Amino acid sequence: MAKSKRHLGRYVDPRTDFGWKFYFGREDNKILLIEFLNSLFHGEKIISDLRFKPVEQDGDYEEMRRVVFDLHCIGNDGEVFIIEMQQLFQEFFKDRAVYYTSRLINKQLARGKKGSDYYLPEVYFIGILEFDMDRNGSSGISRVTERPYFYDVALCDKLTKEIFYDKLGYKMISLPLFNKQPEELKTVMDQWLYLLKHLSTMDRLPSFLDKRIFGLIFEIGEIGKLTEEELMSYEASLKHKRDAESVFNSAMKSGEALGHAKGLAEGLAEGKAKGLAEGKAKGLAEGERKKALETAKAFKEMGLPIADIAKGTGLSVEEVEKL
C-alpha cells in the first residue's frame, strides 16, 4: 500500500469523482463547500449553511429520463444549488445545465396546485469544467473579459443589459483557462481555483493560501489518512479519469487524422493521378476509420454520451449506436 500511496502523491485530487465528493459532498466537511460557493457569490450573497439533498431525480412521468447530480444542496435562505464537476468536453453541456435547473424548478410547484402563486426559490447551477466550454467558438461571441475562465450567467435584457430575473443563475469555471501564478492570486476565488488545479501536485499548504480557509483540505486530504476502502475507491476513480482522458484524446486524434486523410484524398484526386491518389487515400481512410471505430467502441463501453463519441471520432451518431 505504501508504494501505491507514493505513486498517488500526497493529497487526494479534487478533480476526480471520488475527490470532489470526498472534499465537498460530506456533511462533516460542508464548511468547505460553503466557503467555495461564497467565493463564487462574493458581493451577491452570503451562504451560512447548507443541507445536502438527494442527487437522484426521477421524472414526473415514466418516459422522462432520470437525472443524477454530483451534488445537490439547499442554502440557508432556501436557495437550490446543483454543483457539477465535468471532466470531459461535452458538446451539449449548456443544454444539460439548463435541463437540470428546469427539472428542479418544475418540482418546486406541486402538481395540481391551484391559484396564481408561482413563487420560486433561487436556483443555481455551478459547473467546474476541465475544458474550454467555447473552444470551438460555438457561442459565436468573443468574450473580452479579465476572467475568461469564469462564466457568470443570468437572465437579462439584451438591450439594457439589466438583470430580468435574479433567481436563476449559472456559474461555470473552465479550469484550463485559469493560468494565474501564486503572486497573481488577488481574491479568495483565485485561491480556490489555484488549489483545485494544483492540489494533487502539492506536498504542503503553501503560504500564499489562506490557512483559515484551506487548512481543513490539507488536513483531511492526505492520502496516507485514507482507509483501505477509501484508497481503493480513490485509485479506481483516478484510473477512470485517466482512462477517459486517454480515450477522449485518442478519439480526437483519430478525428483529426480522418479529416487530414479526407483533405489529402480530395487534393490528390485531381488530375492524372486521381485513381492512384484515391486508392492511397482510401487505404488511409480505412485504417483511420478502423481506429475510430475501436476508439468509439471503448468510449461507448465507458458510458459516455453518443453525441460526444460521434463528435470526437468523426463517426455518425448512427454508426456509434450500432457498435
Side-chain angles (χ1 to χ4, degrees):
M1 185 187 298
K3 180 179 179 180
S4 176
K5 290 179 181 177
R6 287 196 297 270
H7 173 70
L8 295 175
R10 183 170 184 181
Y11 297 103
V12 172
D13 189 346
R15 296 172 300 162
T16 60
D17 183 65
F18 173 88
W20 184 250
K21 294 169 184 175
F22 178 78
Y23 289 118
F24 300 109
R26 301 195 298 177
E27 182 69 27
D28 49 348
N29 296 337
K30 68 178 179 180
I31 184 61
L32 295 177
L33 184 57
I34 291 173
E35 293 286 356
F36 176 62
L37 291 177
N38 278 329
S39 76
L40 299 184
F41 284 92
H42 181 70
E44 297 178 50
K45 63 167 60 260
I46 297 177
I47 303 160
S48 60
D49 197 12
L50 288 174
R51 289 182 291 114
F52 289 100
K53 302 292 286 182
V55 296
E56 296 189 17
Q57 298 288 314
D58 292 322
D60 291 333
Y61 305 99
E62 187 175 341
E63 62 271 18
M64 289 184 69
R65 65 187 299 177
R66 181 172 62 96
V67 298
V68 181
F69 311 133
D70 283 347
L71 295 176
H72 175 203
C73 305
I74 304 294
N76 49 282
D77 291 328
E79 318 99 307
V80 181
F81 299 98
I82 304 170
I83 305 103
E84 290 278 302
M85 164 63 76
Q86 182 68 28
Q87 295 172 349
L88 297 177
F89 175 76
Q90 189 177 78
E91 183 179 8
F92 300 107
F93 183 76
K94 295 176 186 177
D95 301 66
R96 187 175 123 199
V98 173
Y99 178 70
Y100 276 12
T101 53
S102 67
R103 283 290 293 272
L104 285 187
I105 291 172
N106 180 61
K107 287 184 175 296
Q108 303 307 313
L109 295 177
R111 192 185 307 174
K113 183 177 181 180
K114 298 181 180 180
S116 58
D117 182 9
Y118 283 89
Y119 174 81
L120 295 171
E122 299 172 33
V123 177
Y124 299 99
F125 182 99
I126 314 298
I128 312 302
L129 319 177
E130 288 211 77
F131 56 85
D132 179 358
M133 190 160 57
D134 284 323
R135 66 180 184 177
N136 296 322
S138 58
S139 68
I141 301 174
S142 177
R143 299 185 74 241
V144 181
T145 170
E146 295 181 351
R147 299 188 292 178
Y149 50 85
F150 184 42
Y151 293 75
D152 196 1
V153 181
L155 291 177
C156 69
D157 186 313
K158 293 171 67 175
L159 298 179
T160 66
K161 310 303 180 185
E162 295 179 349
I163 300 297
F164 171 74
Y165 183 73
D166 62 358
K167 296 200 295 183
L168 175 64
Y170 301 85
K171 294 180 183 292
M172 313 286 196
I173 301 292
S174 286
L175 284 179
L177 300 183
F178 181 82
N179 297 310
K180 289 188 176 184
Q181 299 304 307
E183 63 275 12
E184 299 175 294
L185 306 180
K186 306 299 183 184
T187 66
V188 176
M189 186 177 84
D190 286 346
Q191 294 184 45
W192 270 110
L193 301 188
Y194 187 92
L195 181 76
L196 291 176
K197 193 167 183 177
H198 299 286
L199 177 58
S200 63
T201 62
M202 294 180 177
D203 58 8
R204 65 177 64 87
L205 171 61
S207 59
F208 55 82
L209 295 182
D210 191 322
K211 185 176 181 179
R212 295 166 300 175
I213 297 176
F214 302 106
L216 180 58
I217 281 188
F218 284 84
E219 179 183 337
I220 67 175
E222 288 190 42
I223 290 176
K225 294 181 179 179
L226 297 180
T227 65
E228 183 72 25
E229 183 178 355
E230 288 174 335
L231 181 61
M232 292 176 63
S233 296
Y234 176 54
E235 288 182 310
S237 182
L238 191 61
K239 182 178 186 303
H240 174 77
K241 180 178 185 294
R242 291 170 176 170
D243 288 348
E245 290 173 345
S246 177
V247 171
F248 184 79
N249 291 334
S250 296
M252 293 302 294
K253 290 179 181 178
S254 294
E256 292 172 0
L258 282 170
H260 177 72
K262 182 179 180 181
L264 181 63
E266 291 175 349
L268 294 177
E270 297 178 2
K272 295 180 180 180
K274 181 177 180 179
L276 179 60
E278 287 181 346
K280 291 182 178 180
K282 183 178 180 181
L284 277 172
E286 288 178 351
E288 296 300 338
R289 176 177 170 75
K290 183 178 179 181
K291 291 180 181 179
L293 289 169
E294 292 174 349
T295 301
K297 184 177 180 181
F299 230 152
K300 188 176 181 183
E301 290 175 349
M302 294 174 62
L304 298 179
I306 298 296
D308 290 355
I309 300 174
K311 182 177 179 63
T313 60
L315 300 173
S316 68
V317 171
E318 292 74 18
E319 289 175 312
V320 177
E321 288 176 339
K322 292 179 180 178
L323 293 175

